[in-house]
Amino acid sequence: IKMKLFHYLSIIVFMVGVLLTSCVGNVPQKRIVTVTVLPQKYFAEKIAGDKFEINCVVPNGSNPEAYDPSPSHLVYVGKSEAYFKIGHIGFEVAWLDKLLNNNPDMKLYDTSVGVKLLSGTHGHDDPEHVHSETFDPHIWSSPKQARIIARNMYDAFVELDPDNRKYYKKNYDLLLLEINRVDSVLTKKLEKVKGETFVIYHPSLSYLAHDYGLRQLSVEYNGKAPSAYYIKQVVDTARENDVKVIFIQKEFDVKQAETLAEELQCRVAQINPLNYNWSEELENIAYALTQE
């Protein structure tokens, strides 16, 4: 009797396993949209909700202006229905055309459309480097530009999936409320330091500085290590403007910033402008700028 019971139980377990496997196999896969940087992923996931899977090319802690995606990563990107580019980051230009040629059905959306792009955001002219006029890609660093990014994404999702327009509109409106709240927080906080100068290793806060009345001095020059002449320019300008904080991004070595801070007798604040938690990061940056 025990053997028969065991036999029947085995058959039941097997049949349940087959049914579960069958059910999982029939679950429709989510449509995929790929973005370039994590703040974009934050906006896209807020709007798309559970309708799309959002894939991000540049992983946390990597520099998007020098990042080289692996072949396996590009294969996964190739499964995407659409690509939302940030607009003017070097590696997008380097490989996106090839990706589109290999995936002619993939739609491309530029989330920077409508943004008044900045250029010449590095602070000084350096005679030891040839400066090429390039647009600053860090448009997500300001809530005022994030509104435009969000609108571009909303329009794209509606075009990709018009049947769920109302769903995306509701999510988009909620995202706008959050962006507006962050804008209000930054406006109130940064009013206290309007006109002041801060130093940053890589010029990733250009749009924040521009939109809230601050001045950004970049240690890095045009994506390259600075010359001794340029460093002297930065130090002299920082002293003249009584700089109180030097920002160093998560992906860069903090030692150089600490050496510079010691010379200028100011604070070092480590930040992560590529943080997925976009609103939290901008509020942390505003706090660092206003800290006594």
Side-chain angles (χ1 to χ4, degrees), residues 2 24 29 36 61 108 126 158 161 201 205 255-256 261 263 284 291-292:
K2 288 182 179 179
V24 171
Q29 297 296 309
T36 298
L108 178 65
D126 187 344
V158 169
D161 185 20
Y201 187 84
L205 299 180
K255 291 180 181 178
Q256 187 173 12
E263 186 170 349
N284 288 340
Q291 187 181 352
E292 294 295 335

Side-chain angles (χ1 to χ4, degrees), residues 10-245:
S10 298
I11 292 173
I12 291 169
V13 170
F14 174 75
M15 293 302 294
V16 169
V18 169
L19 287 171
L20 287 175
T21 303
S22 175
C23 290
V24 171
N26 290 329
V27 172
Q29 297 296 309
K30 282 187 182 179
R31 300 159 71 182
I32 301 171
V33 164
T34 293
V35 300
T36 298
V37 293
L38 287 171
Q40 277 182 297
K41 183 176 182 179
Y42 180 82
F43 300 141
E45 288 186 337
K46 289 284 187 180
I47 298 171
D50 61 0
K51 304 299 181 186
F52 283 86
E53 177 185 343
I54 309 300
N55 173 51
C56 183
V57 174
V58 181
N60 190 29
S62 297
N63 180 357
E65 293 172 61
Y67 183 66
D68 186 16
S70 67
S72 61
H73 202 161
L74 292 182
V75 168
Y76 188 74
V77 174
K79 298 177 182 178
S80 302
E81 185 172 333
Y83 192 104
F84 293 178
K85 70 175 188 172
I86 196 62
H88 297 275
I89 286 180
F91 88 89
E92 284 183 344
V93 177
W95 61 267
L96 202 47
D97 285 344
K98 184 183 293 185
L99 183 65
L100 289 169
N101 287 336
N102 293 333
N103 302 275
D105 294 331
M106 186 171 71
K107 294 184 178 180
L108 178 65
Y109 297 94
D110 185 346
T111 61
S112 72
V113 172
V115 173
K116 188 175 180 180
L117 297 167
L118 301 177
S119 60
T121 55
H122 296 79
H124 296 286
D125 290 325
D126 187 344
E128 296 187 28
H129 288 98
V130 177
H131 177 66
S132 58
E133 194 74 51
T134 54
F135 291 120
D136 191 309
H138 308 95
I139 58 176
W140 64 89
S141 72
S142 168
K144 299 181 191 303
Q145 311 310 323
R147 288 193 192 100
I148 299 173
I149 297 172
R151 179 67 200 200
N152 288 332
M153 286 186 173
Y154 165 70
D155 290 341
F157 282 121
V158 169
E159 183 177 309
L160 291 168
D161 185 20
D163 290 344
N164 286 302
R165 174 189 292 269
K166 289 183 179 178
Y167 177 82
Y168 299 129
K169 182 62 165 63
K170 181 181 177 181
N171 290 345
Y172 167 68
D173 287 342
L174 289 173
L175 176 58
L176 274 188
L177 286 176
E178 181 181 355
I179 292 173
N180 290 339
R181 181 192 64 79
V182 176
D183 185 22
S184 295
V185 169
L186 265 60
T187 299
K188 184 176 180 180
K189 278 185 173 291
L190 299 181
E191 182 65 30
K192 303 172 186 176
V193 292
K194 197 168 185 178
E196 291 190 8
T197 301
F198 64 88
V199 172
I200 190 168
Y201 187 84
H202 176 77
S204 56
L205 299 180
S206 309
Y207 291 89
L208 182 143
H210 178 271
D211 291 344
Y212 295 91
L214 300 169
R215 185 183 181 192
Q216 171 183 261
L217 277 178
S218 171
V219 175
E220 186 185 72
Y221 187 86
N222 206 22
K224 300 175 182 178
S227 66
Y229 173 85
Y230 185 74
I231 286 284
K232 183 179 183 304
Q233 289 275 83
V234 171
V235 169
D236 289 346
T237 303
R239 281 193 177 128
E240 289 169 8
N241 290 276
D242 191 25
V243 164
K244 295 180 177 62
V245 62

